[in-house]
Amino acid sequence: MPSYMHFGEADLLRIRFAVSPLWETHEAVRTLNRPERHGYHLPWLRRIRHAALGLDLTSLWLLMPRRGHSPDFLGPPPIGPAASFDEEIAAVRAVDPEAARRDMAWALADTPGALDSPQGRALLADPVLAVRELADTTEQAWHALIEPEWPRLRALLEADVAFHSGRLARAGLEGLFAELHPRLSWADRTLTLSGRSEHVRELGGQGLMLMPSAFCWPDVVTGFEPPWQPAIVYPARGIGALWTEPAGRTPKALAQLLGAKRAAVLAALDEPGTTTALAHRLGLAPSSVSAHLSVLREAGLLTSRRHGHQVLYERTPLGIALTVSHGATP
């Protein structure tokens, strides 16, 4: 049965995108326990295998039912469009323990046997301790699973935001939601998500937050319950190439024309990217990448625009034509 989100006039003015390292951390933890998600992430799974063995994730997995409610306080909508992990985990640690207890009880009830298990009872018996330990485990997972890969992940997520922001400007809400996920549709100021359960929510002026995720594929996630802001989490574009390495993709002719490193920077911009993300992908110093980006922009091959506290670079039509004509992947 479908879920519905009803928009008022104020809600239409408060639709925004955000990127959440905290959410990606929890979805990465969930992915470790979901073999059906592994296909797109095999290189990442190989890289973090030993680090993951050092984590005890059982308490988090207990609160991640395959169907039903996951605690909103563990992965709330981010406090800003580009909040840091430290800011987000601080908000988790500051949650009201009684609200956390209700949230955990709901999630445990959606996992057969979890509510009456020793670990489930322990979580509910001392929510202050539970919040602290769950936040500690989440922080350990961030450092082990996501932080080393965050420049690459953030670049993908920010490129998705840039694409869909443009889609919203060109095609309006109907075109935007149709692009986000096949299960989403828009009509008469109502966003409908086809699914297994019925849920109706009046947004009441809070608007809607849209969050791309690298790890939630193939799912689209809707929530959150009051007092959290309503949000839709959807699969980010381009995850099929997320873990591929760009090495060897720079054509020889393009390198001869621009210089090897400058050509590599241009060829790597399949999607809009930041200086830090490009430096991470190419194994170059950020200062070197920044200098190459400046030259390419002055030559009319790139444009730049600010998104939150980040500057995103992308190819101009001339830059695209140059990479295509020399055999790079556009």
Short mmCIF file of all heavy atoms in Angstrom, two decimals, residues 165-230:
data_model
loop_
_atom_site.label_atom_id
_atom_site.label_comp_id
_atom_site.label_asym_id
_atom_site.label_seq_id
_atom_site.Cartn_x
_atom_site.Cartn_y
_atom_site.Cartn_z
N SER A 165 19.27 19.24 -8.45
CA SER A 165 18.91 20.65 -8.29
C SER A 165 18.62 21.27 -9.65
O SER A 165 17.65 22.02 -9.82
CB SER A 165 20.04 21.41 -7.59
OG SER A 165 20.24 20.92 -6.28
N GLY A 166 19.46 20.94 -10.63
CA GLY A 166 19.19 21.40 -11.98
C GLY A 166 17.93 20.81 -12.56
O GLY A 166 17.17 21.47 -13.26
N ARG A 167 17.69 19.54 -12.24
CA ARG A 167 16.46 18.88 -12.71
C ARG A 167 15.23 19.57 -12.13
O ARG A 167 14.23 19.77 -12.84
CB ARG A 167 16.50 17.42 -12.26
CG ARG A 167 15.26 16.60 -12.61
CD ARG A 167 15.25 16.20 -14.06
NE ARG A 167 14.11 15.36 -14.37
CZ ARG A 167 13.84 14.92 -15.60
NH1 ARG A 167 14.62 15.26 -16.61
NH2 ARG A 167 12.79 14.17 -15.82
N LEU A 168 15.29 19.94 -10.86
CA LEU A 168 14.17 20.65 -10.24
C LEU A 168 13.92 21.98 -10.94
O LEU A 168 12.77 22.35 -11.20
CB LEU A 168 14.47 20.88 -8.76
CG LEU A 168 13.46 21.71 -7.97
CD1 LEU A 168 12.08 21.05 -7.98
CD2 LEU A 168 13.95 21.91 -6.54
N ALA A 169 15.00 22.69 -11.26
CA ALA A 169 14.85 23.98 -11.93
C ALA A 169 14.26 23.83 -13.33
O ALA A 169 13.46 24.66 -13.77
CB ALA A 169 16.21 24.68 -12.00
N ARG A 170 14.61 22.73 -14.02
CA ARG A 170 14.15 22.55 -15.40
C ARG A 170 12.78 21.91 -15.51
O ARG A 170 11.99 22.27 -16.37
CB ARG A 170 15.17 21.69 -16.18
CG ARG A 170 16.52 22.31 -16.38
CD ARG A 170 17.35 21.47 -17.35
NE ARG A 170 17.51 20.10 -16.87
CZ ARG A 170 18.49 19.71 -16.07
NH1 ARG A 170 19.38 20.59 -15.64
NH2 ARG A 170 18.59 18.44 -15.69
N ALA A 171 12.50 20.92 -14.63
CA ALA A 171 11.31 20.08 -14.82
C ALA A 171 10.31 20.18 -13.69
O ALA A 171 9.25 19.54 -13.77
CB ALA A 171 11.75 18.62 -15.01
N GLY A 172 10.61 20.94 -12.63
CA GLY A 172 9.67 21.07 -11.53
C GLY A 172 9.62 19.82 -10.66
O GLY A 172 10.37 18.86 -10.86
N LEU A 173 8.72 19.82 -9.69
CA LEU A 173 8.65 18.74 -8.73
C LEU A 173 8.27 17.40 -9.36
O LEU A 173 8.80 16.35 -8.99
CB LEU A 173 7.66 19.09 -7.62
CG LEU A 173 8.12 20.18 -6.64
CD1 LEU A 173 7.00 20.53 -5.68
CD2 LEU A 173 9.35 19.71 -5.87
N GLU A 174 7.35 17.43 -10.31
CA GLU A 174 6.94 16.17 -10.94
C GLU A 174 8.12 15.51 -11.64
O GLU A 174 8.35 14.30 -11.51
CB GLU A 174 5.80 16.41 -11.91
CG GLU A 174 5.26 15.12 -12.52
CD GLU A 174 4.04 15.37 -13.40
OE1 GLU A 174 3.72 16.54 -13.69
OE2 GLU A 174 3.39 14.37 -13.80
N GLY A 175 8.88 16.30 -12.39
CA GLY A 175 10.04 15.75 -13.07
C GLY A 175 11.12 15.32 -12.12
O GLY A 175 11.80 14.31 -12.34
N LEU A 176 11.29 16.07 -11.04
CA LEU A 176 12.31 15.72 -10.05
C LEU A 176 12.00 14.39 -9.39
O LEU A 176 12.84 13.48 -9.36
CB LEU A 176 12.40 16.82 -8.98
CG LEU A 176 13.24 16.46 -7.74
CD1 LEU A 176 14.70 16.32 -8.10
CD2 LEU A 176 13.04 17.48 -6.64
N PHE A 177 10.80 14.22 -8.86
CA PHE A 177 10.48 13.00 -8.13
C PHE A 177 10.46 11.78 -9.03
O PHE A 177 10.82 10.68 -8.61
CB PHE A 177 9.14 13.17 -7.40
CG PHE A 177 9.21 14.12 -6.24
CD1 PHE A 177 8.27 15.14 -6.11
CD2 PHE A 177 10.22 14.02 -5.29
CE1 PHE A 177 8.34 16.02 -5.04
CE2 PHE A 177 10.29 14.90 -4.22
CZ PHE A 177 9.34 15.91 -4.09
N ALA A 178 10.03 11.95 -10.27
CA ALA A 178 10.05 10.83 -11.21
C ALA A 178 11.48 10.36 -11.47
O ALA A 178 11.73 9.17 -11.72
CB ALA A 178 9.38 11.23 -12.52
N GLU A 179 12.44 11.29 -11.42
CA GLU A 179 13.83 10.97 -11.66
C GLU A 179 14.48 10.31 -10.45
O GLU A 179 15.39 9.48 -10.58
CB GLU A 179 14.61 12.25 -12.02
CG GLU A 179 16.09 12.07 -12.26
CD GLU A 179 16.41 11.41 -13.59
OE1 GLU A 179 15.59 11.52 -14.52
OE2 GLU A 179 17.48 10.80 -13.69
N LEU A 180 14.03 10.65 -9.24
CA LEU A 180 14.67 10.16 -8.04
C LEU A 180 14.53 8.65 -7.88
O LEU A 180 15.48 7.95 -7.53
CB LEU A 180 14.10 10.84 -6.80
CG LEU A 180 14.46 12.31 -6.57
CD1 LEU A 180 13.87 12.79 -5.25
CD2 LEU A 180 15.97 12.53 -6.59
N HIS A 181 13.30 8.14 -8.11
CA HIS A 181 13.08 6.70 -7.91
C HIS A 181 11.76 6.31 -8.56
O HIS A 181 10.78 7.07 -8.49
CB HIS A 181 13.04 6.37 -6.41
CG HIS A 181 13.27 4.93 -6.12
ND1 HIS A 181 12.25 4.00 -6.14
CD2 HIS A 181 14.40 4.25 -5.80
CE1 HIS A 181 12.75 2.80 -5.84
NE2 HIS A 181 14.04 2.92 -5.63
N PRO A 182 11.69 5.11 -9.17
CA PRO A 182 10.45 4.69 -9.84
C PRO A 182 9.25 4.57 -8.90
O PRO A 182 8.10 4.65 -9.36
CB PRO A 182 10.81 3.31 -10.42
CG PRO A 182 12.30 3.31 -10.53
CD PRO A 182 12.79 4.15 -9.40
N ARG A 183 9.50 4.41 -7.62
CA ARG A 183 8.38 4.25 -6.68
C ARG A 183 7.79 5.58 -6.23
O ARG A 183 6.78 5.61 -5.52
CB ARG A 183 8.84 3.45 -5.45
CG ARG A 183 9.11 1.98 -5.73
CD ARG A 183 9.73 1.30 -4.53
NE ARG A 183 8.90 1.47 -3.33
CZ ARG A 183 9.36 1.32 -2.08
NH1 ARG A 183 10.63 1.01 -1.89
NH2 ARG A 183 8.55 1.49 -1.05
N LEU A 184 8.40 6.69 -6.62
CA LEU A 184 7.93 8.01 -6.22
C LEU A 184 7.12 8.64 -7.34
O LEU A 184 7.49 8.55 -8.52
CB LEU A 184 9.11 8.93 -5.89
CG LEU A 184 9.90 8.60 -4.62
CD1 LEU A 184 11.16 9.45 -4.56
CD2 LEU A 184 9.06 8.82 -3.37
N SER A 185 6.02 9.28 -6.99
CA SER A 185 5.21 10.02 -7.97
C SER A 185 4.64 11.25 -7.30
O SER A 185 4.45 11.29 -6.07
CB SER A 185 4.10 9.14 -8.54
OG SER A 185 3.23 8.68 -7.52
N TRP A 186 4.31 12.25 -8.13
CA TRP A 186 3.86 13.55 -7.61
C TRP A 186 2.59 13.97 -8.34
O TRP A 186 2.53 13.95 -9.56
CB TRP A 186 4.95 14.58 -7.81
CG TRP A 186 4.55 16.00 -7.52
CD1 TRP A 186 4.17 16.95 -8.42
CD2 TRP A 186 4.48 16.63 -6.23
NE1 TRP A 186 3.87 18.12 -7.80
CE2 TRP A 186 4.05 17.96 -6.44
CE3 TRP A 186 4.74 16.20 -4.94
CZ2 TRP A 186 3.88 18.86 -5.40
CZ3 TRP A 186 4.58 17.10 -3.90
CH2 TRP A 186 4.15 18.40 -4.14
N ALA A 187 1.57 14.36 -7.58
CA ALA A 187 0.34 14.88 -8.17
C ALA A 187 -0.46 15.58 -7.07
O ALA A 187 -0.50 15.11 -5.93
CB ALA A 187 -0.50 13.76 -8.79
N ASP A 188 -1.07 16.70 -7.43
CA ASP A 188 -1.97 17.41 -6.52
C ASP A 188 -1.33 17.71 -5.16
O ASP A 188 -1.91 17.48 -4.10
CB ASP A 188 -3.27 16.62 -6.30
CG ASP A 188 -4.03 16.39 -7.60
OD1 ASP A 188 -4.00 17.30 -8.45
OD2 ASP A 188 -4.62 15.31 -7.76
N ARG A 189 -0.09 18.19 -5.21
CA ARG A 189 0.65 18.55 -3.99
C ARG A 189 0.84 17.36 -3.04
O ARG A 189 0.98 17.54 -1.83
CB ARG A 189 -0.02 19.70 -3.24
CG ARG A 189 0.03 21.04 -3.97
CD ARG A 189 -0.40 22.15 -3.04
NE ARG A 189 -0.33 23.44 -3.71
CZ ARG A 189 -0.61 24.59 -3.13
NH1 ARG A 189 -0.97 24.61 -1.86
NH2 ARG A 189 -0.53 25.72 -3.79
N THR A 190 0.87 16.17 -3.59
CA THR A 190 1.06 14.97 -2.78
C THR A 190 2.16 14.12 -3.38
O THR A 190 2.15 13.82 -4.58
CB THR A 190 -0.23 14.15 -2.69
OG1 THR A 190 -1.24 14.93 -2.05
CG2 THR A 190 -0.01 12.86 -1.90
N LEU A 191 3.12 13.75 -2.55
CA LEU A 191 4.18 12.83 -2.95
C LEU A 191 3.78 11.43 -2.50
O LEU A 191 3.51 11.20 -1.31
CB LEU A 191 5.51 13.24 -2.32
CG LEU A 191 6.71 12.33 -2.62
CD1 LEU A 191 7.02 12.32 -4.11
CD2 LEU A 191 7.93 12.78 -1.81
N THR A 192 3.72 10.51 -3.45
CA THR A 192 3.30 9.14 -3.16
C THR A 192 4.47 8.20 -3.33
O THR A 192 5.20 8.26 -4.32
CB THR A 192 2.16 8.72 -4.10
OG1 THR A 192 1.05 9.62 -3.93
CG2 THR A 192 1.70 7.30 -3.78
N LEU A 193 4.65 7.33 -2.33
CA LEU A 193 5.67 6.29 -2.39
C LEU A 193 4.96 4.95 -2.36
O LEU A 193 4.32 4.59 -1.36
CB LEU A 193 6.63 6.40 -1.20
CG LEU A 193 7.63 5.26 -1.02
CD1 LEU A 193 8.61 5.21 -2.19
CD2 LEU A 193 8.38 5.38 0.30
N SER A 194 5.04 4.22 -3.47
CA SER A 194 4.42 2.90 -3.50
C SER A 194 5.23 1.95 -2.63
O SER A 194 6.46 2.02 -2.58
CB SER A 194 4.36 2.37 -4.94
OG SER A 194 5.66 2.25 -5.48
N GLY A 195 4.53 1.09 -1.91
CA GLY A 195 5.23 0.19 -1.01
C GLY A 195 4.31 -0.79 -0.34
O GLY A 195 3.20 -1.05 -0.78
N ARG A 196 4.80 -1.32 0.80
CA ARG A 196 4.09 -2.40 1.46
C ARG A 196 3.17 -1.92 2.58
O ARG A 196 2.39 -2.69 3.11
CB ARG A 196 5.10 -3.39 2.04
CG ARG A 196 6.06 -3.98 1.02
CD ARG A 196 6.99 -4.98 1.68
NE ARG A 196 7.98 -5.47 0.72
CZ ARG A 196 9.18 -4.94 0.56
NH1 ARG A 196 9.52 -3.88 1.29
NH2 ARG A 196 10.03 -5.43 -0.31
N SER A 197 3.30 -0.68 3.02
CA SER A 197 2.47 -0.20 4.13
C SER A 197 1.95 1.19 3.83
O SER A 197 2.55 1.94 3.05
CB SER A 197 3.29 -0.17 5.42
OG SER A 197 4.41 0.70 5.29
N GLU A 198 0.83 1.52 4.44
CA GLU A 198 0.21 2.82 4.21
C GLU A 198 0.57 3.77 5.34
O GLU A 198 0.52 3.41 6.52
CB GLU A 198 -1.31 2.69 4.12
CG GLU A 198 -1.98 4.02 3.75
CD GLU A 198 -3.46 3.85 3.45
OE1 GLU A 198 -3.97 2.73 3.63
OE2 GLU A 198 -4.09 4.82 3.01
N HIS A 199 0.95 4.97 4.96
CA HIS A 199 1.31 6.00 5.93
C HIS A 199 0.95 7.34 5.32
O HIS A 199 1.26 7.60 4.16
CB HIS A 199 2.81 5.94 6.24
CG HIS A 199 3.26 6.93 7.26
ND1 HIS A 199 3.03 6.77 8.60
CD2 HIS A 199 3.92 8.11 7.14
CE1 HIS A 199 3.54 7.80 9.27
NE2 HIS A 199 4.08 8.62 8.40
N VAL A 200 0.31 8.19 6.10
CA VAL A 200 -0.10 9.51 5.62
C VAL A 200 0.51 10.56 6.54
O VAL A 200 0.43 10.44 7.77
CB VAL A 200 -1.63 9.65 5.59
CG1 VAL A 200 -2.02 11.05 5.12
CG2 VAL A 200 -2.25 8.59 4.70
N ARG A 201 1.13 11.58 5.96
CA ARG A 201 1.70 12.65 6.76
C ARG A 201 1.45 14.00 6.12
O ARG A 201 1.72 14.19 4.93
CB ARG A 201 3.19 12.45 6.96
CG ARG A 201 3.80 13.51 7.89
CD ARG A 201 5.15 13.13 8.40
NE ARG A 201 5.69 14.14 9.29
CZ ARG A 201 6.88 14.10 9.86
NH1 ARG A 201 7.67 13.06 9.63
NH2 ARG A 201 7.31 15.06 10.65
N GLU A 202 0.92 14.91 6.91
CA GLU A 202 0.83 16.31 6.52
C GLU A 202 2.14 16.97 6.92
O GLU A 202 2.51 16.95 8.10
CB GLU A 202 -0.35 16.99 7.23
CG GLU A 202 -1.71 16.37 6.92
CD GLU A 202 -2.23 16.74 5.55
OE1 GLU A 202 -1.69 17.70 4.94
OE2 GLU A 202 -3.18 16.07 5.08
N LEU A 203 2.83 17.57 5.98
CA LEU A 203 4.15 18.12 6.29
C LEU A 203 4.07 19.32 7.22
O LEU A 203 5.02 19.60 7.96
CB LEU A 203 4.90 18.47 5.01
CG LEU A 203 5.15 17.30 4.04
CD1 LEU A 203 6.11 17.72 2.95
CD2 LEU A 203 5.66 16.07 4.77
N GLY A 204 2.98 20.04 7.17
CA GLY A 204 2.74 21.09 8.16
C GLY A 204 3.75 22.21 8.18
O GLY A 204 4.03 22.77 9.23
N GLY A 205 4.30 22.56 7.01
CA GLY A 205 5.23 23.68 6.95
C GLY A 205 6.67 23.33 7.18
O GLY A 205 7.55 24.20 7.05
N GLN A 206 6.97 22.06 7.52
CA GLN A 206 8.37 21.67 7.74
C GLN A 206 9.13 21.48 6.44
O GLN A 206 10.36 21.47 6.43
CB GLN A 206 8.43 20.36 8.54
CG GLN A 206 8.08 20.48 10.00
CD GLN A 206 8.32 19.18 10.73
OE1 GLN A 206 7.61 18.19 10.53
NE2 GLN A 206 9.33 19.16 11.57
N GLY A 207 8.41 21.31 5.35
CA GLY A 207 9.08 21.05 4.08
C GLY A 207 9.58 19.62 4.01
O GLY A 207 9.17 18.75 4.79
N LEU A 208 10.47 19.37 3.07
CA LEU A 208 10.98 18.02 2.85
C LEU A 208 12.47 18.07 2.56
O LEU A 208 12.93 18.90 1.77
CB LEU A 208 10.25 17.37 1.66
CG LEU A 208 10.66 15.94 1.31
CD1 LEU A 208 10.21 14.97 2.41
CD2 LEU A 208 10.05 15.52 -0.03
N MET A 209 13.22 17.18 3.21
CA MET A 209 14.64 17.05 2.93
C MET A 209 14.86 15.86 2.01
O MET A 209 14.29 14.79 2.22
CB MET A 209 15.43 16.86 4.22
CG MET A 209 16.94 16.77 3.98
SD MET A 209 17.85 16.65 5.54
CE MET A 209 17.54 18.29 6.19
N LEU A 210 15.69 16.05 0.99
CA LEU A 210 16.04 14.99 0.04
C LEU A 210 17.51 14.66 0.21
O LEU A 210 18.37 15.54 0.12
CB LEU A 210 15.75 15.46 -1.38
CG LEU A 210 14.28 15.81 -1.67
CD1 LEU A 210 14.16 16.49 -3.02
CD2 LEU A 210 13.41 14.56 -1.62
N MET A 211 17.81 13.38 0.44
CA MET A 211 19.17 12.96 0.72
C MET A 211 19.58 11.81 -0.20
O MET A 211 18.99 10.73 -0.14
CB MET A 211 19.30 12.52 2.18
CG MET A 211 19.15 13.63 3.19
SD MET A 211 18.92 13.03 4.89
CE MET A 211 20.09 11.69 4.99
N PRO A 212 20.57 12.00 -1.06
CA PRO A 212 21.09 10.87 -1.83
C PRO A 212 21.94 9.97 -0.94
O PRO A 212 22.56 10.44 0.02
CB PRO A 212 21.95 11.55 -2.91
CG PRO A 212 22.40 12.83 -2.26
CD PRO A 212 21.27 13.26 -1.36
N SER A 213 21.97 8.69 -1.25
CA SER A 213 22.77 7.74 -0.49
C SER A 213 23.47 6.79 -1.45
O SER A 213 22.87 6.31 -2.41
CB SER A 213 21.90 6.95 0.49
OG SER A 213 22.64 5.91 1.09
N ALA A 214 24.73 6.49 -1.16
CA ALA A 214 25.47 5.53 -1.97
C ALA A 214 25.13 4.09 -1.60
O ALA A 214 25.31 3.19 -2.41
CB ALA A 214 26.97 5.76 -1.81
N PHE A 215 24.66 3.88 -0.37
CA PHE A 215 24.51 2.51 0.13
C PHE A 215 23.07 2.02 0.20
O PHE A 215 22.86 0.83 0.46
CB PHE A 215 25.14 2.40 1.53
CG PHE A 215 26.64 2.44 1.52
CD1 PHE A 215 27.31 3.61 1.82
CD2 PHE A 215 27.39 1.31 1.21
CE1 PHE A 215 28.69 3.66 1.81
CE2 PHE A 215 28.77 1.35 1.20
CZ PHE A 215 29.43 2.53 1.50
N CYS A 216 22.07 2.87 0.01
CA CYS A 216 20.70 2.41 0.23
C CYS A 216 20.10 1.67 -0.97
O CYS A 216 19.03 1.09 -0.85
CB CYS A 216 19.79 3.59 0.62
SG CYS A 216 19.31 4.67 -0.74
N TRP A 217 20.78 1.68 -2.13
CA TRP A 217 20.26 0.99 -3.31
C TRP A 217 19.93 -0.46 -2.96
O TRP A 217 20.69 -1.13 -2.26
CB TRP A 217 21.30 1.01 -4.44
CG TRP A 217 20.77 0.45 -5.73
CD1 TRP A 217 20.23 1.15 -6.75
CD2 TRP A 217 20.73 -0.92 -6.12
NE1 TRP A 217 19.85 0.28 -7.75
CE2 TRP A 217 20.14 -0.99 -7.39
CE3 TRP A 217 21.12 -2.12 -5.52
CZ2 TRP A 217 19.95 -2.19 -8.07
CZ3 TRP A 217 20.93 -3.32 -6.17
CH2 TRP A 217 20.35 -3.35 -7.44
N PRO A 218 18.78 -0.98 -3.44
CA PRO A 218 17.82 -0.38 -4.38
C PRO A 218 16.63 0.29 -3.69
O PRO A 218 15.63 0.54 -4.32
CB PRO A 218 17.34 -1.60 -5.17
CG PRO A 218 17.31 -2.70 -4.13
CD PRO A 218 18.47 -2.42 -3.21
N ASP A 219 16.77 0.54 -2.40
CA ASP A 219 15.64 1.04 -1.63
C ASP A 219 15.51 2.56 -1.71
O ASP A 219 16.48 3.27 -1.98
CB ASP A 219 15.79 0.65 -0.15
CG ASP A 219 15.89 -0.86 0.04
OD1 ASP A 219 15.12 -1.58 -0.64
OD2 ASP A 219 16.73 -1.31 0.83
N VAL A 220 14.31 3.03 -1.46
CA VAL A 220 14.09 4.44 -1.17
C VAL A 220 13.46 4.47 0.22
O VAL A 220 12.57 3.67 0.52
CB VAL A 220 13.20 5.14 -2.23
CG1 VAL A 220 11.86 4.46 -2.37
CG2 VAL A 220 13.03 6.61 -1.92
N VAL A 221 13.96 5.35 1.07
CA VAL A 221 13.57 5.37 2.47
C VAL A 221 12.80 6.65 2.75
O VAL A 221 13.25 7.74 2.36
CB VAL A 221 14.80 5.29 3.39
CG1 VAL A 221 14.37 5.26 4.86
CG2 VAL A 221 15.65 4.07 3.06
N THR A 222 11.67 6.52 3.40
CA THR A 222 10.89 7.70 3.74
C THR A 222 10.71 7.79 5.25
O THR A 222 10.71 6.78 5.95
CB THR A 222 9.51 7.68 3.05
OG1 THR A 222 8.81 8.88 3.37
CG2 THR A 222 8.68 6.50 3.51
N GLY A 223 10.59 8.92 5.77
CA GLY A 223 10.43 9.21 7.20
C GLY A 223 10.52 10.72 7.31
O GLY A 223 10.42 11.41 6.31
N PHE A 224 10.71 11.23 8.38
CA PHE A 224 10.88 10.63 9.68
C PHE A 224 9.69 11.05 10.52
O PHE A 224 8.94 11.94 10.16
CB PHE A 224 12.18 11.14 10.30
CG PHE A 224 13.41 10.67 9.59
CD1 PHE A 224 13.75 11.13 8.32
CD2 PHE A 224 14.25 9.77 10.19
CE1 PHE A 224 14.90 10.69 7.68
CE2 PHE A 224 15.40 9.32 9.56
CZ PHE A 224 15.73 9.78 8.31
N GLU A 225 9.50 10.39 11.66
CA GLU A 225 8.38 10.73 12.51
C GLU A 225 8.68 12.02 13.28
O GLU A 225 9.83 12.34 13.54
CB GLU A 225 8.09 9.58 13.48
CG GLU A 225 7.61 8.32 12.81
CD GLU A 225 6.35 8.55 11.98
OE1 GLU A 225 5.40 9.18 12.47
OE2 GLU A 225 6.32 8.09 10.81
N PRO A 226 7.61 12.78 13.64
CA PRO A 226 7.84 13.97 14.46
C PRO A 226 8.63 13.60 15.72
O PRO A 226 8.44 12.51 16.27
CB PRO A 226 6.41 14.42 14.80
CG PRO A 226 5.57 13.87 13.70
CD PRO A 226 6.21 12.56 13.34
N PRO A 227 9.55 14.45 16.19
CA PRO A 227 9.75 15.85 15.77
C PRO A 227 10.71 16.03 14.61
O PRO A 227 11.08 17.14 14.28
CB PRO A 227 10.33 16.48 17.04
CG PRO A 227 11.18 15.38 17.61
CD PRO A 227 10.41 14.11 17.35
N TRP A 228 11.18 14.93 14.00
CA TRP A 228 12.16 15.04 12.93
C TRP A 228 11.51 15.59 11.67
O TRP A 228 10.34 15.33 11.39
CB TRP A 228 12.78 13.67 12.65
CG TRP A 228 13.25 12.99 13.89
CD1 TRP A 228 12.71 11.87 14.45
CD2 TRP A 228 14.33 13.36 14.73
NE1 TRP A 228 13.39 11.53 15.59
CE2 TRP A 228 14.39 12.42 15.79
CE3 TRP A 228 15.26 14.40 14.71
CZ2 TRP A 228 15.34 12.48 16.80
CZ3 TRP A 228 16.21 14.47 15.72
CH2 TRP A 228 16.25 13.52 16.74
N GLN A 229 12.32 16.30 10.89
CA GLN A 229 11.83 16.83 9.62
C GLN A 229 11.58 15.67 8.65
O GLN A 229 12.38 14.73 8.58
CB GLN A 229 12.83 17.79 9.00
CG GLN A 229 12.33 18.39 7.68
CD GLN A 229 13.34 19.31 7.03
OE1 GLN A 229 14.49 19.33 7.40
NE2 GLN A 229 12.89 20.08 6.05
N PRO A 230 10.48 15.69 7.90
CA PRO A 230 10.24 14.65 6.89
C PRO A 230 11.38 14.60 5.88
O PRO A 230 11.96 15.65 5.52
CB PRO A 230 8.94 15.10 6.22
CG PRO A 230 8.29 16.01 7.21
CD PRO A 230 9.41 16.70 7.94
#
